[in-house]
Amino acid sequence: MSLLRILSTLRRATHRTSLSFSSSRNPICTTFANSSLSRKPRISYQNDYGGHKTNSHLLDPRLWIIFTGQAAILGFCGNSVLAEDESGLEKIEDGSVVSNIHTSKWRVFTDSGRDHFFQGKLEPAERLFGSAIQEAKEGFGERDPHVASACNNLAELYRVKKEFDKAEPLYLEAVSILEDFYGPEDVRVGATLHNLGQLYLVQRKLEEARACYERALKMKGRVLGHNHTDFAETMYHLGTVLHLQGKVTDAEALILDSLKILEEGGQGESMTYIRRLRYLSQIYIRSNRLAEAENLQRKFLHMMELSKGLNSMEAITAAEALALTLRLSGQLGEALELFEKCLNAQKKLLPEGHIQIGGNLLHIAKTFMLQASQLGRTNISEALFKLEKAKNYLENSTRIAKDVLLKLKNQKSKAQKHEKASATLRNYEHAALVILLQSFESLAALETSKNEIQEPKETNPHAAEETLLQCVSAYKEFGSGTQLQDSPEVKSEYLSCLKHLSALLGNKGTTLDSKDSPISLPELKEEVT
């Protein structure tokens, strides 16, 4: 870590920081009501989903992430790289004097492959990039930088397709060629090492990713300087690796410095800056540094309100993230106010029954339940009132999620004809199932809480078990036997329901009626263990 500490120390010696953050390459939308959603210092954030009147918007694959609880802030989407993931395709900037039929074809194949790649047409792009490699070898020679460029492009495509075993040897070949041609410390070697680091990062090969990023950072710093945005990009990626390795202090220092470089370069309001700001807030949340996370999220919310507007989907997403952090830190009143403002804005922007609305209803219900828990037995009537309100919200979130799943189940066979549509449907379906399972388990917890504070004659002793059995039924109907059953989030929620059910049955010494129950007692015990 000596290189990293030196770099970080050098930057902090000349810049003692006031943060303004931004980090995101794809806009994430959110939307808002008339009044600002931020409190305290007027700071605010947002995310962008586009117009809400079209069916394509309803199926935006990014939407579901917002609704799965605090995990949403923590990068809930299990397959995310946890780092900016721009394409590292090589541009054609060819000053070579070599010109023949092969070099001409290399240029055509490369340009055409890039066009197809950015249009999402990966199969023809793969063929074109493969042809570009062959033409580069025949036109320029086997160990020419043009070959390295072509190898890098095809490797990037394989990385996007998650065909990692095909991508790695191409990156390594590109690095080898560039090292031979330009020397091992050339910045072009560093650029390809950065791309290779991204491949290792997405596979969670953290030591390999760290080695690549450290080499790339050294080369970029020497050639481009320590204030260059490319240097900052590698610095940020290295910070994400160190964070995943548990080196939180070093990760934070690198990410802060990468943000400072963007600020000084006039990119303090860019989406790249916003994404990095959001990732830093995730680090603070995971480290239970909630006050620092709150400050960043207020800044982000303010930025989104200013750039996207108070009534934008970006502002709603940012406000929800802030509300989740406030709820974690026990600021339930302000959290509830933010969630309710988000809900009002969503109802104006989104169709009735949209899964985002279901997710927000779940957030509000959980906040009411926490308020009821705080009241405990000191004010039983108020606690029961909060629980009844929470129950109403949970019943609605359950209804919305179930309706979405039923509709998507009917649409999936049609959507499978179009690969993009079916992938989007799967993401939307995933969000709905997670919300449904969480809603059922929250309802069960709510019924248990009511039984604990009500008079015995007013309680339903089996309400919690019945609700958890509905949770099991929902999983078996919509998750079991589908791709969703492999989702870590779905598995986690389902297992949580099973454990909760098993604990209730054990405490009461009751059993399951195997004829009516979606799961038998032996099955329950087996799945829990």
Side-chain angles (χ1 to χ4, degrees), residues 63-69 320 346 355-356 359-360 363 435:
L63 300 186
W64 67 270
I65 301 177
I66 308 170
F67 303 106
T68 50
E320 283 180 332
Q346 286 169 333
I355 195 57
Q356 278 190 266
N360 205 346
H363 290 332
I435 289 170

Side-chain angles (χ1 to χ4, degrees), residues 62 94 133 168 193 217 252 260 266 276 293-294 299 303 320 322 347 355 361 371 391 408 424 456 465 508 517:
R62 295 166 291 180
D94 181 27
I133 292 175
E168 183 177 9
L193 283 169
L217 189 67
E252 179 186 358
K260 189 66 179 176
R276 293 181 192 177
E294 178 188 336
K299 177 187 284 288
M303 291 170 68
E320 283 180 332
L322 174 58
K347 286 181 176 178
I355 195 57
L361 292 170
Q371 288 183 329
K391 184 174 182 179
L408 292 179
T424 302
E465 295 100 302
K508 296 180 179 180
S517 172

